[in-house]
């Protein structure tokens, strides 16, 4: 079998940030790396789960909702994949991600889609830890720009 592209990235050198992972036709996959791989610090399952519910809810209600294909956590618990149609430029991708993370940072109340009938693991949520992850990434992204979307290890 051929090695898939995401396994070709040197995860020992990968930093936190947003990267263009791949382009498939009119769908662009963004790697939102929230934790340094293989460093022993990962998103907890509860934080990852809550972050997913809030991130997806915000993005699918944003001005870019018609371009959102998928938002989902990485199995390694170091971040998320965001799949968008290619009609969203990188500056708007950055805006969407930052706005989503601001929403998560400030969120209060009942987590959307977290009732037993709505969720397959409704008991495993951690809003406080999701907020910490959002705050951390907002700091990482404060000076992010379109030029930084390429994997760069320098």
């Amino acid at each position: 079998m051929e090695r898939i592209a995401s396994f070709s990235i040197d995860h020992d050198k990968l930093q936190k940030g947003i990267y263009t992972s791949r382009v498939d036709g009119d769908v662009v996959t963004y790697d939102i790396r929230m934790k340094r791989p293989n460093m022993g610090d990962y998103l907890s399952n509860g934080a990852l789960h809550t972050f997913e519910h809030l991130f997806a809810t915000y993005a699918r209600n944003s001005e870019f909702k018609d371009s959102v294909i998928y938002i989902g956590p990485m199995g390694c618990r170091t971040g998320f994949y965001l799949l968008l149609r290619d009609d969203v430029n990188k500056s708007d991708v950055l805006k969407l991600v930052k706005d989503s993370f601001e929403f998560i940072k400030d969120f209060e109340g009942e987590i959307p889609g977290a009732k037993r009938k709505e969720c397959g693991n409704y008991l495993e949520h951690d809003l406080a830890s999701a907020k910490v992850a959002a705050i951390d990434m907002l700091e990482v992204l404060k000076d992010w720009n379109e030029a930084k979307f390429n994997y760069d290890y320098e």
Side-chain angles (χ1 to χ4, degrees), residues 46-70:
L48 195 72
H49 192 193
T50 300
F51 208 97
E52 176 193 18
H53 278 240
L54 294 173
F55 191 4
T57 296
Y58 184 87
R60 292 185 182 278
N61 283 282
S62 75
E63 63 185 290
F64 306 106
K65 65 184 176 185
D66 293 333
S67 295
V68 176
I69 306 287
Y70 174 75

Side-chain angles (χ1 to χ4, degrees), residues 37-52:
N38 303 315
M39 299 299 285
D41 178 30
Y42 307 100
L43 294 163
S44 71
N45 285 327
L48 195 72
H49 192 193
T50 300
F51 208 97
E52 176 193 18

Side-chain angles (χ1 to χ4, degrees), residues 29 32 41 48 56 69 107 109 143 154:
T29 300
I32 302 174
D41 178 30
L48 195 72
I69 306 287
F107 187 82
D143 297 320
E154 297 181 320

Side-chain angles (χ1 to χ4, degrees), residues 4-154:
I4 64 173
S6 63
F7 295 159
S8 298
I9 302 301
D10 187 341
H11 284 65
D12 286 334
K13 295 180 180 177
L14 191 55
Q15 302 293 314
K16 294 178 184 180
I18 301 175
Y19 305 97
T20 303
S21 177
R22 56 183 296 140
V23 178
D24 299 285
D26 71 337
V27 177
V28 181
T29 300
Y30 294 97
D31 172 339
I32 302 174
R33 197 59 61 152
M34 300 170 66
K35 298 287 186 176
R36 295 267 330 266
N38 303 315
M39 299 299 285
D41 178 30
Y42 307 100
L43 294 163
S44 71
N45 285 327
L48 195 72
H49 192 193
T50 300
F51 208 97
E52 176 193 18
H53 278 240
L54 294 173
F55 191 4
T57 296
Y58 184 87
R60 292 185 182 278
N61 283 282
S62 75
E63 63 185 290
F64 306 106
K65 65 184 176 185
D66 293 333
S67 295
V68 176
I69 306 287
Y70 174 75
I71 297 168
M74 296 174 181
C76 60
R77 298 188 354 247
T78 61
F80 282 81
Y81 289 114
L82 170 64
L83 281 69
L84 299 171
R85 297 243 178 253
D86 66 358
D87 60 353
V88 183
N89 64 48
K90 287 185 175 79
S91 64
D92 284 336
V93 171
L94 187 55
K95 176 184 177 352
L96 173 61
V97 171
K98 285 181 172 181
D99 289 352
S100 297
F101 290 11
E102 285 286 344
F103 171 76
I104 295 165
K105 172 185 74 83
D106 297 332
F107 187 82
E108 297 293 334
E110 188 175 310
I111 298 162
K115 293 181 182 164
R116 182 182 181 97
K117 290 187 177 189
E118 301 168 328
C119 179
N121 190 6
Y122 77 103
L123 294 176
E124 191 170 27
H125 282 279
D126 184 349
L127 179 58
S129 294
K131 287 180 173 212
V132 168
I135 291 166
D136 179 63
M137 274 306 287
L138 284 166
E139 183 64 24
V140 170
L141 299 176
K142 73 179 181 185
D143 297 320
W144 209 260
N145 58 54
E146 294 179 35
K148 293 183 176 186
F149 273 71
N150 295 323
Y151 289 113
D152 185 7
Y153 302 117
E154 297 181 320

